[in-house]
Amino acid sequence: MKTLVFVIDKPLHGNVRAQEFLDMAMMAAAFDQRVLIVFEGDGAYALMKNQHADVIGLKNMIPVLNALAIYDINDVLIERESMKSRAISEDQLLIPADILSRCDIKSRMNAAGHVFSF
Amino acid sequence: MKISVQINASPYQHQTADTAWHFIQAALVSGHEVYRVFFYHDGIYNALRDSRPPGDERDIVKRWSELYRQSNIDLVVCVSSAQRRGLLEQSVAKKVGGYDKALADGFRIAGLGLLMEAVIDSDRHVTFGD
């Protein structure tokens, strides 16, 4: 089993990449790999409540985020510094995520077999 | 070392496809095995048969087809990325009445499972393009 990290550093709605990117993470989980999803930088916005993708005619990605746990993807990390600099508080987060420092997230990534960037 | 490669960007717009191709050449010359090249996101445009760059430019699509002919490296285009962007596999194209000759020689269209298999089985998986 390998540990694969998927780093999301942009908001989810804005292009089709998010959908294809999360497909990759779920496929990795379906292949029984250990999957970590990291939200950092503007990616912190991806985890916020009250997103309305239908307004800009894009597919709503929130059900996919909610489905991560079904795929046994429970290691969802969000960078504390990114939240702070964007004034995002824990109660604004859509799904449970571990809020970790940049330093802690980097050490988790260093221990992984491969890092996919968004 | 067993290496797999993922290409996420279209040819010509960025240097991604060129860098990946040079990387593969260097890996082969150094005696490594390149197990699979997986074309994802806009990377699927690397497989368009009818790409016709001006004569004094490198032909990126042809270069991939030649790589397959010479080294038999598995060139896989992601099916969902491809369908979303209008590149259809022959049988699918026939079914929906689409263009059925879009895919260049040497490529095949398949699912994300082949990407994961490559990631798991290779010593290194190298991604080109963001």
Side-chain angles (χ1 to χ4, degrees), chain B residues 26-88:
Chain B
L28 293 175
V29 167
S30 311
H32 298 293
E33 177 197 351
V34 178
Y35 175 59
R36 177 171 293 149
V37 184
F38 194 86
F39 297 87
Y40 202 38
H41 305 303
D42 281 358
I44 68 102
Y45 291 116
N46 282 274
L48 285 191
R49 176 185 296 277
D50 283 341
S51 160
R52 292 284 187 279
D56 58 347
E57 281 182 26
R58 73 228 185 277
D59 190 329
I60 292 179
V61 176
K62 210 160 126 192
R63 215 161 56 178
W64 290 124
S65 297
E66 271 162 20
L67 179 72
Y68 175 77
R69 262 198 303 279
Q70 286 162 6
S71 312
N72 215 24
I73 293 172
D74 196 16
L75 306 178
V76 177
V77 178
C78 171
V79 61
S80 54
S81 289
Q83 288 194 8
R84 183 175 277 131
R85 293 168 178 81
L87 173 62
L88 302 179

Side-chain angles (χ1 to χ4, degrees), chain A residues 93-105:
Chain A
L93 297 183
L94 185 76
I95 58 171
D98 293 333
I99 303 173
L100 297 179
S101 70
R102 184 165 296 165
C103 189
D104 286 342
I105 285 184

